[in-house]
Amino acid sequence: MKIYVINGPNLNMLGIREPDKYGKVGYAELLEMINKHCAENGIEAMLYQSNHEGDLVDKIQEAYFDSADGIVINPGAYTHTSIALLDALSAVKIPTVEVHISKVEEREDFRQVSYIRAACKKTITGHGVGGYIEAIDFLKEYCNES
């Protein structure tokens, strides 16, 4: 099984940016946690982060051509602005889970809208970095049942 874990803008600043909202775990620690969990579960993890919308679209399309079984995506601020990410996810039709470290539903009004949610099988919010592990486990189960 192969899963792409795609992170959008500012996720590389985990542990530095607003630790009261996003926690103190750094981005390198997050990647280590994901890699360890995937290795223990026989999952190949392709990890990617970019601050640029087009690069994220390219990575979603790469997941398709690379025959990925699932995508875990935290689009960061692009959640609330990017129809391009929605279109890319809709085009590839790869089972996708949207992840947010903070509880976006309890934050500013503009964070209540997720353009990509329409192309996702599940959304996980407010579970900290553990939400990534939940998303991977969901996709493993989902793909095994399909």
Side-chain angles (χ1 to χ4, degrees):
M1 174 171 211
K2 184 185 302 180
I3 293 178
Y4 273 60
V5 179
I6 301 173
N7 284 291
N10 298 309
L11 272 296
N12 59 312
M13 300 298 286
L14 279 179
I16 299 167
R17 178 182 176 227
E18 301 177 273
D20 57 314
K21 287 187 179 85
Y22 302 109
K24 295 180 181 174
V25 174
Y27 187 66
E29 293 169 276
L30 170 64
L31 298 183
E32 186 178 313
M33 179 185 77
I34 292 169
N35 276 325
K36 181 177 186 238
H37 183 75
C38 287
E40 291 170 352
N41 286 278
I43 298 169
E44 181 182 353
M46 308 298 290
L47 308 176
Y48 184 75
Q49 187 276 328
S50 178
N51 295 316
H52 305 282
E53 184 179 31
D55 291 345
L56 298 169
V57 169
D58 288 344
K59 193 53 70 170
I60 292 166
Q61 293 175 2
E62 177 186 303
Y64 174 80
F65 292 110
D66 196 24
S67 300
D69 299 295
I71 295 173
V72 173
I73 187 166
N74 183 340
Y78 289 134
T79 303
H80 323 292
T81 64
S82 182
I83 295 168
L85 291 179
L86 168 63
D87 288 350
L89 290 169
S90 296
V92 301
K93 294 180 176 57
I94 298 170
T96 301
V97 178
E98 173 186 13
V99 172
H100 298 284
I101 294 167
S102 69
K103 282 189 173 186
V104 291
E105 63 273 13
E106 295 178 3
R107 296 186 59 195
E108 303 92 341
D109 288 345
F110 68 87
R111 294 191 197 272
Q112 306 309 308
V113 175
S114 169
Y115 284 106
I116 73 153
R117 193 159 294 156
C120 295
K121 299 293 181 193
K122 183 175 180 133
T123 299
I124 298 169
T125 70
H127 295 185
V129 294
Y132 287 88
I133 302 304
E134 290 179 50
I136 291 164
D137 290 346
F138 172 84
L139 286 171
K140 182 179 179 183
E141 186 175 319
Y142 179 87
C143 290
N144 285 337
E145 291 175 357
S146 297

